[in-house]
Amino acid sequence: MRNSLARRVIGVAAAALTIAALNSSPPAAAADAPYDVLVFSKTAGFRHDSIPAGIQLIRELGAANSFTVTTTEDSNHFTATNLAKYETVVFLNTTGDVLNATQQGVFESYVRGGGGYVGIHSASDTEYDWPFYGELVGTYFTSHPAIQQATVRVENRAHPATAHLSPAWTRTDEWYNFRGSVRSSARVLATLDESTYSGGSMGADHPHTWCKTVQAGRSFYTGSGHTQASYAEAGFRAMVLGGLRYTANRADADCRPENGYTTLYNGSTTGWTQVGPGSFSNSDNTLTSSGGMGMLWYSAKEFRSYSLKLDWRMPGDDNSGVVVGFPAGSTADSALANGHEVQIDATDTADKTTGAIYGFKGADQAARDAALNPPGEWNTYELLVEGERLQVFLNGVLINDFTNTDPARSLTSGHIGIQNHGTGDDVSFRNIRIKELGVVPVPHTGPITGASGKCVDVPGGNTADGTRLQLWSCNSGVNQRWTVNGTTLRALDKCMEVAGTANAAAVRLWTCNGSGGQNWTPGANGSLVNPQSGKCLDANGGSSADGTQLIVWTCHGGTNQRWTLP
């Protein structure tokens, strides 16, 4: 794959890009490093007459947006050597079984190793008997009513595929029903409002467009794209471009599943109070700062243990931040003195730039730079507050892990606010939401032992990402000392992770990043379950010998799936 030291040119203003014919799509805010796209449109079932229009659209997008396009209906293109040429592969209205077993294996390796996948419309009517493909696309098509107008509800307006859309998007297409919701495994970007058309069968939560990660790879799917007219619509064309940029690693987004959040702001400022000079405008479900230094804070409630998420964008070298853990009635200045600010700033010093806990701890610069979209594009913060611990995730990537030790401040309770820093510092915010977590679990540290009496062990104390975990005779070493921290299991400052969802997927050590592969919950009979895969931590082959590798396997209650936590 031709990517990746220069996958984006950050801070370089793009020339206005015009797409010839039909409609234009908005340009990227920064010039993307060139990349290569393979468009695959083989059909073994129904064939859409819109395929040529789709190919033409992607060619036009490529000509205007720094990527080359190769089109094929020949599955023999699916070799390791050939796929390595492309950053992402589009399944454009494919149907039926389009790859043989060897080609399937090659494509799976390509995606898991960091390749991209874009599925358009009947890409979900493809490869029903290939489990990996079901994981990749998220679900499968079941039925559709007649072509008609409907309203799409856009619930994520930070992803590059949907940031340009209004909350309600009315258009005409063929609207798919699916086998089930993808909400537990993907980030839903848009849903269908079944009250606006006839023939929907999924009820109040009908996902229509979504994104997800599959190990190192990225997946984007939309159910739109049946009609030829779709490919002439500016909104749809921009959506396809955003999906391509995301899956080709030219734009970042938080595509982790998201459930159980309560909206604090999505157009209404009820419960919010402005203090200090300056203000925020409120338009298009977006708050934009002006003047200051002031703060808009959520005065209706204080929070203790929570995950706060919000989307933000700055047009250039601007300055703002998110303030947490301050008492009611604070001024903008006293909130900063009694709470902590997570900074948004393009160019300040390490402890005062984007991702920093202002004045206390800078972000992991390499992780931050890799995850950060440039000025002009939307980013997503998650601020995870558990006791005095504050973790900062940028577009789904952990970039700061801070524990407050200042007796004058406390994260254990307080309010949240967004800063308007001053004239010319124009930062916008969208979709502020929160999930309260209840009682903060107390971390426990010690060995994880199997029914055999052996311990979960990091071989040789190796801290490299990808180190396979094993069983070994217990020896009280630091490489057998695990900390139960919420739903994560940590050793040597890294997390236990499963590398996939299939039976026999490897269990390994990896940098903690909040992904589903790093979540573990106690199950029946002493099992440890990874909820993303639904499978149990397992000593391979039922062996208890030193060096037995750990995997996940369908839960069966056997002794090789029984574990005792610290």
Side-chain angles (χ1 to χ4, degrees), residues 121 277 304 307 317 341 373 389 421 430 439 484 494 512:
H121 193 56
R304 288 173 172 79
S307 166
D317 183 7
E341 179 188 1
N373 288 322
R389 184 183 185 192
H421 187 268
R430 280 179 174 172
V439 178
V484 181
K494 295 202 171 180
C512 299

Side-chain angles (χ1 to χ4, degrees), residues 240-318:
V240 173
L241 176 60
L244 290 166
R245 295 186 66 233
Y246 167 71
T247 58
N249 264 310
R250 293 308 188 270
D252 283 305
D254 188 349
C255 286
R256 297 174 299 167
E258 183 176 307
N259 299 287
Y261 284 77
T262 299
T263 297
L264 300 184
Y265 168 79
N266 201 13
S268 171
T269 55
T270 299
W272 292 83
T273 300
Q274 176 73 37
V275 295
S279 63
F280 283 85
S281 65
N282 184 10
S283 177
D284 188 31
N285 291 33
T286 304
L287 295 165
T288 301
S289 66
S290 62
M293 175 181 298
M295 179 180 68
L296 182 66
W297 65 291
Y298 192 71
S299 54
K301 186 177 182 179
E302 69 173 20
F303 301 99
R304 288 173 172 79
S305 177
Y306 56 88
S307 166
L308 173 69
K309 291 189 177 183
L310 49 83
D311 307 326
W312 58 267
R313 179 181 66 183
M314 55 183 177
D317 183 7
D318 297 284

Side-chain angles (χ1 to χ4, degrees), residues 31 79 88 91 143 150 153 220-221 229 236 270 325 350 374 477 489 511 520 531-532 541 554:
T79 66
T88 192
F91 276 50
S143 64
R153 302 294 179 188
F220 170 84
Y221 172 82
F236 181 68
T270 299
L489 304 174
T511 300
W520 302 89
Q532 177 172 277
T554 301

Side-chain angles (χ1 to χ4, degrees), residues 33-74:
Y35 58 102
D36 299 277
V37 174
L38 177 65
V39 179
F40 184 54
S41 55
K42 180 178 178 179
T43 56
F46 180 83
R47 185 169 183 85
H48 287 76
D49 63 7
S50 61
I51 288 175
I55 290 172
Q56 181 65 20
L57 163 63
I58 297 172
R59 287 193 185 281
E60 291 170 355
L61 292 174
N65 293 277
S66 303
F67 64 86
T68 65
V69 178
T70 301
T71 65
T72 188
E73 297 198 357
D74 183 359

Side-chain angles (χ1 to χ4, degrees), residues 159-230:
H159 194 284
T162 49
H164 63 287
L165 296 173
S166 298
W169 183 28
T170 300
R171 56 182 304 275
T172 298
D173 213 322
E174 181 182 77
W175 306 109
Y176 273 9
N177 299 308
F178 300 103
R179 284 186 180 178
S181 176
V182 298
R183 201 170 285 277
S184 64
S185 63
R187 178 64 169 107
V188 175
L189 305 178
T191 60
L192 287 177
D193 184 343
E194 291 191 356
S195 71
T196 65
Y197 73 104
S198 300
S201 66
M202 298 184 71
D205 185 18
H206 186 150
H208 177 67
T209 300
W210 55 82
C211 62
K212 63 187 301 187
T213 57
V214 182
Q215 287 182 244
R218 298 180 174 198
S219 170
F220 170 84
Y221 172 82
T222 181
S224 290
H226 173 85
T227 66
Q228 294 182 41
S230 296

Side-chain angles (χ1 to χ4, degrees), residues 136 378 406:
L136 178 65
W378 286 93
D406 183 350

Side-chain angles (χ1 to χ4, degrees), residues 292-371:
M293 175 181 298
M295 179 180 68
L296 182 66
W297 65 291
Y298 192 71
S299 54
K301 186 177 182 179
E302 69 173 20
F303 301 99
R304 288 173 172 79
S305 177
Y306 56 88
S307 166
L308 173 69
K309 291 189 177 183
L310 49 83
D311 307 326
W312 58 267
R313 179 181 66 183
M314 55 183 177
D317 183 7
D318 297 284
N319 191 320
S320 184
V322 185
V323 190
V324 297
F326 58 89
S330 296
T331 66
D333 288 338
S334 65
L336 296 176
N338 292 283
H340 285 288
E341 179 188 1
V342 180
Q343 181 72 331
I344 299 171
D345 188 308
T347 60
D348 212 332
T349 57
D351 64 336
K352 298 176 182 177
T353 187
T354 298
I357 313 302
Y358 187 90
F360 284 84
K361 184 178 181 180
D364 178 329
Q365 292 291 311
R368 193 281 306 271
D369 291 349

